[in-house]
Amino acid sequence: MTSSLRHFAGLGCFPAPASAGAGVSGATCLLRRYTPDFCAFAALRPIRPAAAFSAANPLASPAEHEQRQHRQQAVPCHDGDPSAPARSPLPSPPPPSPAPLRVGIVGFGNFGQFIAGGIQRQGHAVLAASRSDYSDYCAGRGIRFFTSVDALCEEQPDVLLICSSILSTEAVVRAIPFHKLRPDTIVADVLSVKQFPRNLLLEILPLGFGIVCTHPMFGPESGKNGWGKLPFVYDKVRVAEHGDQAIKCEQFLSIFEHEGCRMVEMSCAEHDRYAAGSQFVTHTIGRVLSQLNLKTTPINTKGYESLLQLTHNTVSDSFDLYYGLFMYNINATEQASTLARLHMMHHSYPYQIIVEYVHDIC
């Protein structure tokens, strides 16, 4: 201990003891005074005076001696010293990733199966219920199939996705046992019209349920080679701003975003206005062309090829879809009225065909 105190004294940090006895007494005082600051003891080590450096390396310059001395100085410990600079805080660990969603699909026909593929590709689980038996189809693809919506709801999925036809949607939604679901469940739809399911869900669903109205602007035919850059329209009709429901909503929408869709947030009313001017007219013209029994020829022009493709795409969809586009979108009926006015003004054969076709479906 005495030799240690001599060492401290040699550093010039503390008064040198006058004698061994005094050194012991000084050691007691020194330890009692400085023992709590362990960092100071750990940092101290023998430092040779500058003269020793010069003797060891007489060729070194004074600047080199000064740099060497600076490197060998003790590093003070600032614990407990309010005047010391604050340490940089350690980076906080990233928040845990949310668990994969469990998406229940009600109506597992052609389009429901098509959407289920994208959900599974993004690592989420699919549960399905439908009037038809798709148990074999589901068994080969890792999808749990239920013969009734009641049985599916008992599993309490995070998202309940309505994939029924437009014409059957109201009956399907009113038959769902919402009391078996968690009160913050998100209910979404993929109907080709939007104001109708929006108003229906707001009327029927309990207040705590989230509502997201969506429309993938593509289908099994146009999206068979991938969903990249295809528009996906959505409207967060009623979703909590914070908490699990908000997180699940973002997870659900990210399925389509990560599949490459062009995400378009739009109100249901605005969607229906646009859809009447594009989707309804497209389906109407395509179905009218199908009545003409157009055939391919050895000398097809590009325009004619486009007409043939339009006819093929529209007739591949069910007639119920086309009928629903007309009957459940008030903007579509306005388009039909416009066609009728054009026919009255021009009395042309194309307008007559279209008007008569639309009149027949009414």
Side-chain angles (χ1 to χ4, degrees):
M1 176 64 76
T2 304
S3 63
S4 299
L5 295 177
R6 289 195 188 99
H7 167 63
F8 294 148
L11 294 175
C13 299
F14 312 102
S19 62
V24 172
S25 174
T28 304
C29 178
L30 179 67
L31 292 174
R32 184 169 58 249
R33 180 178 179 184
Y34 290 99
T35 296
D37 193 357
F38 294 104
C39 295
F41 284 93
L44 293 176
R45 58 182 180 274
I47 300 177
R48 290 183 296 171
F53 296 149
S54 300
N57 187 8
L59 299 179
S61 65
E64 290 176 328
H65 291 314
E66 183 178 354
Q67 292 176 359
R68 187 171 182 181
Q69 273 189 301
H70 179 72
R71 289 196 300 268
Q72 293 188 354
Q73 286 180 353
V75 179
C77 178
H78 299 295
D79 288 348
D81 185 356
S83 64
R87 294 180 177 177
S88 300
L90 295 175
S92 57
S97 300
L101 291 175
R102 298 165 67 245
V103 181
I105 298 180
V106 179
F108 204 60
N110 193 29
F111 195 81
Q113 296 168 17
F114 171 69
I115 293 296
I119 295 172
Q120 287 187 303
R121 285 193 296 271
Q122 293 303 319
H124 303 286
V126 174
L127 301 80
S130 193
R131 292 178 298 179
S132 302
D133 185 4
Y134 294 105
S135 54
D136 291 341
Y137 176 93
C138 293
R141 292 167 174 79
I143 298 172
R144 295 183 61 189
F145 182 76
F146 300 87
T147 56
S148 69
V149 179
D150 287 57
L152 187 153
C153 290
E154 288 177 355
E155 296 296 321
Q156 297 189 328
D158 303 299
V159 178
L160 195 67
L161 185 60
I162 310 299
C163 288
S164 56
S165 69
I166 299 174
L167 303 182
S168 62
T169 295
E170 182 169 3
V172 168
V173 172
R174 292 190 183 277
I176 295 175
F178 291 106
H179 63 279
K180 294 185 178 181
L181 297 168
R182 288 194 300 271
D184 62 346
T185 301
I186 293 175
V187 178
D189 80 285
V190 290
L191 270 62
S192 299
V193 294
K194 293 270 63 76
Q195 282 186 286
F196 163 63
R198 173 191 179 275
N199 296 338
L200 179 68
L201 294 175
L202 284 173
E203 174 191 346
I204 296 176
L205 265 61
L207 288 178
F209 283 70
I211 300 175
V212 182
C213 290
T214 78
H215 183 199
M217 304 295 293
F218 51 90
E221 186 65 30
S222 56
K224 62 184 178 182
N225 296 321
W227 301 358
K229 298 182 180 180
L230 297 176
F232 179 87
V233 179
Y234 66 97
D235 184 6
K236 299 179 184 178
V237 176
R238 189 176 71 195
V239 179
E241 294 184 359
H242 307 287
D244 290 343
Q245 190 177 87
I247 294 174
K248 290 175 182 177
C249 177
E250 293 305 316
Q251 278 185 278
F252 174 68
L253 294 176
S254 72
I255 292 172
F256 303 91
E257 183 177 6
H258 293 161
E259 283 289 307
C261 293
R262 179 166 58 87
M263 306 297 287
V264 182
E265 186 169 10
M266 179 183 295
S267 71
C268 293
E270 190 176 10
H271 167 276
D272 283 1
R273 285 196 300 271
Y274 285 127
S278 60
Q279 194 176 30
F280 171 70
V281 170
T282 300
H283 279 257
T284 299
I285 300 300
R287 288 190 172 273
V288 168
L289 292 174
S290 69
Q291 301 296 310
L292 301 177
N293 295 318
L294 301 179
K295 304 293 182 183
T296 187
T297 73
I299 55 171
N300 288 352
T301 63
K302 290 293 185 181
Y304 189 68
E305 290 284 355
S306 299
L307 290 179
L308 291 176
Q309 187 62 47
L310 171 63
T311 304
H312 173 72
N313 289 345
T314 52
V315 299
S316 295
D317 293 321
S318 67
F319 183 81
D320 283 355
L321 170 61
Y322 174 68
Y323 188 76
L325 290 174
F326 180 78
M327 296 301 297
Y328 288 85
N329 185 349
I330 188 172
N331 301 278
T333 59
E334 294 174 358
Q335 287 286 343
S337 299
T338 301
L339 289 173
R341 287 196 301 271
L342 290 173
H343 170 61
M344 295 298 294
M345 291 171 59
H346 300 284
H347 298 283
S348 60
Y349 181 64
Y351 288 124
Q352 180 180 354
I353 295 176
I354 296 172
V355 171
E356 288 179 354
Y357 184 80
V358 173
H359 180 270
D360 288 342
I361 70 170
C362 295

